Amino acid sequence: MLSNLINRQILREAILVAFIGLVILTLIPFGSVTPFPFAFAAIGMFVLAIISGLLFGEPRQTRSVFSITLFLLIVLTGWMFVQTIELPAHWLANPAWNAARDLAGVQYAAISVVPADTLASILWVALPFVTFLTGLVLCDTDQRARKVLASLGLAAGIIAVFALIQFSMFPRILIVIEKRAYLDSLTAVFVNRNTAATFLGLGTLLMLTLVRDIARSYSSHPPGEPGRNVLLLRTWIYILLLCACFTALMLSRSRAGIFATFVAALIYFPWLVINWNSSKRYRRTTPTWRSILKFVSAIAFVGWSLIIFAGQAILRAQERRLEDDDRFCILPGIWRAISDHWLTGTGLGSFRTVFSAYRDPACGIFGIFDRAHNFYLEGFLGLGILFPIAAAIVFSMLARVFWRGLAQRRRGRHYVLLGVAATVLVTLHGAVDFSLQIPGFAVFFAAFLSAVVAISLGRNNGEAQRQI
């Protein structure tokens, strides 16, 4: 019986390592936006999900979140499939099919104007959902959840170091190919600087957490005891990786990405400063004035960092006004498209086709918009009223999870607050860009969220409590 339990734990650890490795690999080839890397990531994650589900079943601590997420996955993918099929009597079919029938004699009619693209988009939606569900199954203890977060943070730091070296020595090369866009900006392993900024911002928050944890371990380690020098070396390595993430973020020159990261830092960094030593060993009554001073100092430091280090992004904001940005020029057209199809949507993957009829000539004739540069509006246009309902469910679920985590966790509370800050970062940037539509980042963020949710709801896990 004991040997079976040990073998089961070893197997879970092996699958967890494979899960982490696959998440990191999904980032490398330009965020897996091309078919082959995406297919590899999707097949690998689905196989891990099936194996994890069959071996370990539904997670105990996060059962409610697991059930809600699985329900949303079934509803969203089911609705997307319905959008691609021909319903009886052309019910709910997009009016564009009437014109296609008159002009070309097409008899097919569906909700989606591009059924093949919508059908292909099912995998793009399912992959981050399946990643999140698999992470919940595998992160059954705080120790495993922390391993996921540490691995993701270190991966972000190493990618940032690689990006800095490549940007400084080979600015016109993106990994192994010639860079054709954003030549003045660091884009790491992504094509778009805004996706890179979202990723590097999240990496900065993760590395800040790792620095805090390793520094506290070093300060509590008795002098002269074995391993102290190793902890010191790891502390300096983590600090260097933190600096690499932050520097790469600044060099991305993404206005929205840098701003969203600093908003997240305003949520997270002051709490870390005030509660740097939160263990029972160092817990003592702190005067209120000292806590207020730490809070104000932390806020001032974040603001000072923005002014000093975000100069290139601030310069871009001054040179190019918001009203001159094409992303904001096309918003009225997107709203008109949504108002015409708010109930059923036009099918995910149809934005490029549908928006052409709503594009304002005043926005210019150059460039083709294949994305809305707004995750929420494109989701609303593609899925219809179901998207805001699903988004409201997701945000309310996360709010409930984080509230419970903040109320019940003590020494692990900073992980919960890390989840809050990161969610704010990604949510804000999603309003002006499409980072969540890039498979590599979506998978990375889903794995991150699964670990944070597991820690937030792991209050009653005795083994986990001993590990944190």
Side-chain angles (χ1 to χ4, degrees):
M1 188 70 179
L2 180 60
S3 61
N4 290 336
L5 180 61
I6 294 175
N7 291 334
R8 189 181 180 87
Q9 294 301 318
I10 294 175
L11 184 58
R12 187 189 289 268
E13 286 289 334
I15 297 176
L16 181 65
V17 170
F19 172 77
I20 295 170
L22 184 59
V23 170
I24 296 172
L25 282 177
T26 307
L27 288 168
I28 305 302
F30 318 112
S32 295
V33 293
T34 52
F36 180 76
F38 174 78
F40 175 83
I43 293 173
M45 191 59 69
F46 293 153
V47 168
L48 286 180
I50 293 172
I51 294 175
S52 301
L54 292 176
L55 290 178
F56 311 117
E58 192 178 39
R60 181 172 61 89
Q61 297 285 343
T62 57
R63 181 174 300 169
S64 61
V65 176
F66 183 91
S67 300
I68 293 173
T69 305
L70 183 60
F71 171 76
L72 286 176
L73 173 61
I74 294 173
V75 170
L76 290 176
T77 54
W79 174 243
M80 291 174 66
F81 177 76
V82 170
Q83 287 180 315
T84 65
I85 63 177
E86 187 173 15
L87 299 175
H90 293 175
W91 186 55
L92 296 179
N94 194 289
W97 290 103
N98 295 329
R101 182 174 61 251
D102 296 337
L103 293 174
V106 177
Q107 299 301 315
Y108 192 87
I111 295 173
S112 173
V113 297
V114 281
D117 291 342
T118 301
L119 194 64
S121 297
I122 292 178
L123 279 179
W124 292 69
V125 172
L127 180 56
F129 274 87
V130 172
T131 301
F132 180 75
L133 292 171
T134 306
L136 291 181
V137 172
L138 296 176
C139 295
D140 61 327
T141 66
D142 286 353
Q143 183 183 23
R144 293 193 176 96
R146 290 176 63 193
K147 180 180 294 186
V148 170
L149 294 177
S151 300
L152 297 182
L154 292 174
I158 294 172
I159 290 174
V161 171
F162 166 79
L164 288 172
I165 295 173
Q166 185 171 68
F167 186 66
S168 60
M169 299 180 64
F170 311 101
R172 293 186 175 272
I173 299 296
L174 180 59
I175 306 180
V176 293
I177 67 171
E178 182 181 357
K179 192 174 184 180
R180 300 183 181 276
Y182 304 108
L183 298 180
D184 61 340
S185 304
L186 183 149
T187 60
V189 294
F190 303 97
V191 176
N192 186 281
R193 66 177 160 216
N194 295 295
T195 305
T198 315
F199 168 73
L200 293 168
L202 181 54
T204 300
L205 296 178
L206 278 166
M207 284 310 307
L208 185 62
T209 305
L210 296 182
V211 167
R212 185 257 189 188
D213 288 348
I214 194 68
R216 288 182 66 247
S217 297
Y218 174 75
S219 62
S220 62
H221 201 82
E225 290 289 327
R228 184 175 172 85
N229 292 334
V230 174
L231 285 175
L232 179 61
L233 178 61
R234 289 179 59 191
T235 300
W236 280 110
I237 291 175
Y238 285 11
I239 291 174
L240 290 175
L241 292 179
L242 169 61
C243 293
C245 283
F246 182 77
T247 304
L249 171 65
M250 296 300 106
L251 291 177
S252 72
R253 303 179 77 235
S254 169
R255 295 165 296 179
I258 293 173
F259 172 77
T261 300
F262 274 94
V263 172
L266 287 174
I267 296 172
Y268 188 46
F269 186 67
W271 190 94
L272 280 186
V273 172
I274 295 173
N275 298 276
W276 187 263
N277 287 324
S278 59
S279 64
K280 292 181 179 180
R281 180 183 302 179
Y282 295 99
R283 191 172 299 164
R284 60 173 67 92
T285 302
T286 304
T288 303
W289 67 267
R290 183 172 297 178
S291 297
I292 295 175
L293 180 61
K294 288 182 178 181
F295 179 81
V296 173
S297 299
I299 295 291
F301 178 79
V302 172
W304 174 81
S305 300
L306 175 63
I307 296 173
I308 297 298
F309 297 107
Q312 294 190 33
I314 294 174
L315 181 61
R316 281 191 63 234
Q318 292 174 343
E319 291 176 345
R320 190 173 185 180
R321 299 173 301 175
L322 291 180
E323 56 266 29
D324 296 331
D325 195 316
D326 292 341
R327 288 177 293 183
F328 295 94
C329 184
I330 67 174
L331 283 179
I334 298 175
W335 277 114
R336 290 195 301 272
I338 291 175
S339 64
D340 288 346
H341 308 92
W342 66 270
L343 181 61
T344 61
T346 60
L348 277 186
S350 66
F351 179 84
R352 179 173 179 168
T353 303
V354 173
F355 180 69
S356 300
Y358 294 90
R359 180 169 178 168
D360 187 349
C363 297
I365 62 174
F366 299 102
I368 298 174
F369 286 91
D370 55 357
R371 288 186 175 92
H373 285 269
N374 187 306
F375 171 74
Y376 313 104
L377 294 185
E378 186 163 347
F380 200 167
L381 177 62
L383 294 175
I385 193 63
L386 181 62
F387 179 82
I389 294 175
I393 293 174
V394 170
F395 282 121
S396 61
M397 177 184 69
L398 289 177
R400 181 176 62 85
V401 168
F402 292 148
W403 180 262
R404 178 177 170 183
L406 291 173
Q408 296 187 349
R409 299 311 305 257
R410 291 186 179 179
R411 297 178 62 188
R413 188 172 296 166
H414 63 293
Y415 288 105
V416 183
L417 202 61
L418 169 65
V420 174
T423 302
V424 169
L425 188 165
V426 176
T427 300
L428 286 177
H429 204 191
V432 292
D433 208 74
F434 49 81
S435 298
L436 282 172
Q437 295 169 247
I438 304 301
F441 179 76
V443 166
F444 185 86
F445 185 60
F448 165 84
L449 273 184
S450 67
V452 171
V453 168
I455 291 176
S456 299
L457 300 181
R459 177 66 177 85
N460 297 322
N461 192 324
E463 179 186 349
Q465 283 298 97
R466 289 192 295 269
Q467 298 289 347
I468 187 169

